[in-house]
Amino acid sequence: MKVDADHIEQEIKRQVEVIQRGAVEIIPKDELISKVRKSVETGQPLRVKLGLDPSAPDIHVGHVVVLEKLRQLQDLGHIVQLVIGDFTGRIGDPTGKSETRKQLTEEQVKTNAKSYEQQVFKVLDRERTEIHFNSTWLAPLHFSDVVRLASTLTVARMLERDDFKKRFTQGIPISIHEFFYPLMQGYDSVALRTDIELGGTDQTFNLLMGRTLQKEYGLEPQIALTMPIIEGLDGVQKMSKSLGNYIGVNESAKEIYGKTMSLPDALMVKYFDLLSGLPTEEILQIEQALRTGELHPRDAKMRLAYLLTARFQGAQAADEAQSEFVRVFQKHTLPDEIPTFSITNVDVSLVALLVSAKLAPSNSEARRLIQGGGVRIDGVQVLDPQFIVTPHADMVVQVGKRKFIRLIFS
RNA sequence: GGAGGGGUACCAAAGUGGCCAACUGGGGCGGACUGUAAAUCCGUUGCGAAAGCUUCGUAGGUUCGAAUCCUACCCCCUCCA
């Protein structure tokens, strides 16, 4: 009897430790412990929610930080609830700070959901994942329900949220309906009886909203678990699609490898921590070796790039990407595979060729590239914007460091 | 409902009748240096081979000539109610 009790205590401790690792905040921690306890004692898995924006089905490694944690929870026996915010998406967001969010049709939502599944299961366990669409419970709500929902919050409370506060004080518009997004997300947790909700630290407010609303509806409040936001390729701003500083899990092995290599050194350890999947001790070793100069930062980064590539595109693709990288960027030889571009065997201006091969967006841009020394033919820099190309088969045209085409005759 | 301020390129921000395809900074792109890192330096950043053409919230108007002046409209912000 006593042995059993010890065992349970141990298991609780183990689970809480795993859940805690790498997390920024767990609000509140003692409730997490009691939820885990209940789950261990009853054998009832916890329901762990993650909301997804239906309009942007490209998962990047910033999301993976959170997915990774979800996976760990699954491995502890818990259940993941993926909520696709199709209702939110269908309303659209006319004031989205980056760009007007388009309203999505049902068709698009479906396609995007498929795409999510394909990507998300590179990390998550399909067997322990439920997929929900929040229109299921949000669409049938009456206006009176909505008002009731809204009445639980005050404007002052809403303005506690960082970006609202910032925009408010800076005089940047906030539409009333934006206040509903946190409410909707919180209501998802009510509908699904969520035990733990995950998100980046920028989601803290929304995650807490779930707690507030659950209490309001007489449910046990969820735990908010936040994970660090990872900086993108520029090393400064958070990784996001709209900033174009991301590494997507669906990108080609070459891209993933190359983009990882272009990360600022300062970010390496963080990436190792949150994304490599290596055991903590090993990461500490790498960190140490980097500090003492024992390990060349380039080699550490190559290791990281390899691990990430292998994770999303498989070991074989990672091998290829790595040798390709060495060949093209370290030895400056031609890449293994160069996209071909077929032309007829007549002289063309280099400018026209660059544009038709999509190596440059416009003639003017093409000319600038040439004058700026960014264009090579068969490895030889061409500086004359009037240059006329007399093509031969297998001629290689290069723009910048990474864009190549090989000519073939049609 | 009233009063005032404002909308300029990817972003921020100058420009208030010709010298403006539009200062400057950021970002992007290209080059040099490297480890496709960072930092630094250089070039470039509407289209067009060029003449030139289309751009400064939208639509009209005044003028030899407008981002700049006028009219209407749309949008944003602040204060008051």
Side-chain angles (χ1 to χ4, degrees):
Chain A
M1 200 65 203
K2 184 161 184 306
V3 178
D4 246 353
D6 279 354
H7 190 75
I8 285 176
E9 288 309 318
Q10 246 174 29
E11 175 60 12
I12 293 168
K13 193 164 169 245
R14 181 180 80 92
Q15 293 212 4
V16 171
E17 263 167 26
V18 171
I19 294 170
Q20 219 174 163
R21 192 184 306 148
V24 176
E25 266 189 310
I26 296 173
I27 315 171
K29 199 179 153 197
D30 54 331
E31 282 181 33
L32 171 72
I33 296 172
S34 59
K35 277 194 188 259
V36 170
R37 173 178 304 276
K38 204 193 282 172
S39 159
V40 171
E41 283 171 356
T42 62
Q44 188 74 32
L46 295 173
R47 291 174 293 261
V48 188
K49 189 186 89 176
L50 176 70
L52 297 172
D53 171 1
S55 63
D58 282 328
I59 300 244
H60 55 64
V61 303
H63 301 112
V64 172
V65 173
V66 175
L67 292 176
E68 177 73 23
K69 180 57 68 184
L70 287 176
R71 173 65 201 228
Q72 290 168 5
L73 280 149
Q74 289 182 321
D75 291 342
L76 293 174
H78 303 299
I79 297 288
V80 165
Q81 308 171 312
L82 286 184
V83 178
I84 302 203
D86 64 329
F87 188 73
T88 331
R90 243 182 274 161
I91 297 172
D93 182 2
T95 55
K97 45 191 179 278
S98 44
E99 210 162 279
T100 304
R101 207 189 273 174
K102 288 227 189 69
Q103 299 196 14
L104 299 173
T105 63
E106 215 161 310
E107 213 37 51
Q108 286 171 303
V109 169
K110 263 190 207 150
T111 318
N112 290 352
K114 274 265 153 53
S115 163
Y116 264 132
E117 286 183 37
Q118 180 267 330
Q119 299 172 69
V120 149
F121 290 128
K122 286 178 188 243
V123 180
L124 294 185
D125 175 357
R126 195 180 287 265
E127 297 301 308
R128 312 197 73 85
T129 305
E130 300 169 356
I131 295 183
H132 301 277
F133 293 84
N134 69 359
S135 61
T136 316
W137 52 83
L138 289 179
L141 287 182
H142 254 264
F143 195 69
S144 55
D145 299 321
V146 176
V147 171
R148 178 188 162 201
L149 204 57
S151 71
T152 61
L153 272 303
T154 63
V155 171
R157 182 74 212 290
M158 278 296 178
L159 290 176
E160 283 172 20
R161 197 171 96 167
D162 247 24
D163 65 316
F164 284 156
K165 199 195 317 187
K166 245 183 238 155
R167 283 159 65 190
F168 189 70
T169 51
Q170 289 175 9
I172 301 168
I174 302 170
S175 291
I176 298 291
H177 81 278
E178 290 185 75
F179 283 169
F180 284 93
Y181 285 80
L183 284 172
M184 290 189 277
Q185 187 173 337
Y187 192 78
D188 292 348
S189 293
V190 171
L192 289 172
R193 308 264 192 281
T194 299
D195 290 304
I196 305 178
E197 180 166 5
L198 260 72
T201 49
D202 57 345
Q203 287 290 310
T204 310
F205 183 88
N206 292 353
L207 303 188
L208 291 174
M209 191 58 62
R211 277 178 71 77
T212 307
L213 294 183
Q214 283 173 320
K215 281 188 226 166
E216 196 64 33
Y217 282 79
L219 300 169
E220 189 181 309
Q222 67 182 12
I223 310 299
L225 175 61
T226 55
M227 295 299 292
I229 298 289
I230 206 161
E231 291 85 355
L233 302 175
D234 55 275
V236 179
Q237 297 203 261
K238 77 169 191 176
M239 181 174 289
S240 81
K241 195 184 176 191
S242 54
L243 292 172
N245 62 351
Y246 68 101
I247 303 174
V249 303
N250 255 4
E251 291 190 272
S252 70
K254 251 202 289 196
E255 286 290 318
I256 296 177
Y257 195 95
K259 284 185 175 182
T260 308
M261 286 307 288
S262 77
L263 281 174
D265 287 4
L267 233 51
M268 260 199 286
V269 172
K270 189 166 186 183
Y271 271 60
F272 265 112
D273 261 339
L274 295 169
L275 297 165
S276 69
L278 291 179
T280 319
E281 311 83 68
E282 198 169 344
I283 295 172
L284 288 175
Q285 265 172 28
I286 292 173
E287 203 181 346
Q288 173 71 18
L290 278 171
R291 234 196 330 262
T292 59
E294 209 178 305
L295 177 61
H296 193 300
R298 180 201 52 220
D299 296 330
K301 211 186 280 179
M302 285 176 78
R303 172 101 192 271
L304 177 68
Y306 182 86
L307 285 168
L308 288 186
T309 311
R311 173 155 210 191
F312 303 121
Q313 297 300 342
Q316 197 193 332
D319 284 330
E320 282 162 22
Q322 186 158 54
S323 50
E324 171 99 352
F325 180 85
V326 171
R327 194 178 316 129
V328 178
F329 295 110
Q330 293 183 359
K331 301 203 174 124
H332 296 290
T333 48
L334 289 176
D336 202 20
E337 266 178 49
I338 301 176
T340 56
F341 181 70
S342 76
I343 56 166
T344 49
N345 188 5
V346 286
D347 291 5
V348 272
S349 76
L350 180 53
V351 166
L353 179 63
L354 292 178
V355 173
S356 57
K358 300 229 163 46
L359 292 175
S362 72
N363 290 8
S364 300
E365 181 67 23
R367 220 167 322 110
R368 269 181 234 123
L369 282 167
I370 297 168
Q371 284 167 332
V375 178
R376 286 163 193 275
I377 293 177
D378 288 332
V380 181
Q381 196 174 51
V382 178
L383 290 165
D384 175 13
Q386 317 276 18
F387 190 82
I388 302 295
V389 181
T390 305
H392 61 257
D394 282 344
M395 175 182 267
V396 173
V397 181
Q398 176 182 0
V399 171
K401 291 192 174 91
R402 26 186 327 200
K403 281 181 272 181
F404 299 85
I405 53 161
R406 187 191 296 280
L407 299 186
I408 54 171
F409 294 129
S410 53

